[in-house]
């Protein structure tokens, strides 16, 4: 989740982890409305750096005004071995701004397994998001019985088209786990990953929204071919 410059807040519907009290109040309201559990409809693609300029031009023509830049740190956890069901392991993702801010906010995300629907043109999966605020996130995570799997840093930008979010980013790793000085952070490769995603209420049918996402993603071709490939672990 990315930070939005104040001058762009009215130009985009992307709801980032901006810090402060309002986002926590908003989440409490979502829980009361039963909106914390969603269905995520998503497609993935990738490009080489040479195609980035053309992709940006296409997105600026297709999307709402405003580009959201972000740099975030994500840690992936699974349940400790004595609790883990190897047939269907629970994987949790914690994400925060990088470098960390004084707000001590972190997004906790659970993503379910994709729907087994070969006729659907997109990946469809359950997703639950929440926001935690703690001065010691690792102690909180250990208290949940979670074990660190891997971590990475993403840096890129996002556009929106209504409720559709297009994220373009590169993935970086730290050469020493737990050390986040810039000299330890290296790009995994030069390619950019593209996500086109849409979140809908958990109980809403996904056939029509999935086709809307597919139709939008097809407009990015031939710069990038968006595919129904599940990259998440």
């Amino acid at each position: 989740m990315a930070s939005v410059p104040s001058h762009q807040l009215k130009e985009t519907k992307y709801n980032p982890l901006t810090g402060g009290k309002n986002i926590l109040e908003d989440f409490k309201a979502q829980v009361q409305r039963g909106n914390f559990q969603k269905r995520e409809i998503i497609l993935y693609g990738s490009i080489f750096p040479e195609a980035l300029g053309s992709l940006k031009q296409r997105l600026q023509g297709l999307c709402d005004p405003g580009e959201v830049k972000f740099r975030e740190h994500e840690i992936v956890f699974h349940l400790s071995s004595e609790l883990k069901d190897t047939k269907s392991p629970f994987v949790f993702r914690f994400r925060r701004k990088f470098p960390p801010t004084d707000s001590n906010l972190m997004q906790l995300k659970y993503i379910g397994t994709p729907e087994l629907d070969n006729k659907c043109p997109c990946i469809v999966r359950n997703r639950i998001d929440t926001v935690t605020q703690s001065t010691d996130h690792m102690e909180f995570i250990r208290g949940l019985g979670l074990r660190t799997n891997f971590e990475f840093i993403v840096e890129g930008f996002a556009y929106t088209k209504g409720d559709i979010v297009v994220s373009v980013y590169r993935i970086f790793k730290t050469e020493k786990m737990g050390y986040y000085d810039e000299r330890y952070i290296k790009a995994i490769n030069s390619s950019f990953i593209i996500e086109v995603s849409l979140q809908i209420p958990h109980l809403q049918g996904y056939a029509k929204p999935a086709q809307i996402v597919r139709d939008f993603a097809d407009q990015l071709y031939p710069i990038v071919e968006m595919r129904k490939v599940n990259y998440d672990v």
Side-chain angles (χ1 to χ4, degrees), residues 25-86:
E25 292 178 342
D26 178 66
F27 175 70
K28 290 177 183 177
Q30 289 188 47
V31 171
Q32 292 173 355
R33 296 193 303 267
N35 289 346
F36 61 94
Q37 186 171 357
K38 302 284 188 178
R39 268 183 170 154
E40 182 179 49
I41 300 168
I42 191 166
L43 292 168
Y44 289 98
S46 65
I47 58 171
F48 290 116
E50 306 86 73
L52 185 62
S54 298
L55 178 62
K56 270 195 171 187
Q57 289 180 354
R58 181 68 59 87
L59 291 174
Q60 288 166 356
L62 292 173
C63 296
D64 305 326
E67 175 185 298
V68 182
K69 294 183 179 180
F70 60 89
R71 193 181 191 205
E72 297 165 345
H73 174 215
E74 183 163 308
I75 311 175
V76 179
F77 299 87
H78 61 257
L79 287 177
S80 300
S81 56
E82 63 270 16
L83 300 174
K84 183 179 175 183
D85 177 359
T86 55

Side-chain angles (χ1 to χ4, degrees), residues 19 23 30 34 42 57 62 85 107 165 177 197 205 216 221 226:
I23 193 168
Q30 289 188 47
I42 191 166
Q57 289 180 354
L62 292 173
D85 177 359
Q107 177 200 20
V165 178
M177 193 168 188
S197 64
F216 174 84
Y221 186 83
M226 303 302 298

Side-chain angles (χ1 to χ4, degrees), residues 171-199:
I171 298 179
F172 298 78
K173 66 177 182 179
T174 177
E175 294 182 328
K176 295 181 66 176
M177 193 168 188
Y179 290 81
Y180 306 113
D181 189 279
E182 292 292 344
R183 67 178 182 271
Y184 295 120
I185 297 173
K186 307 294 181 184
I188 292 179
N189 56 45
S190 61
S191 298
F192 287 82
I193 294 177
I194 296 92
E195 297 179 3
V196 177
S197 64
L198 171 67
Q199 292 189 37

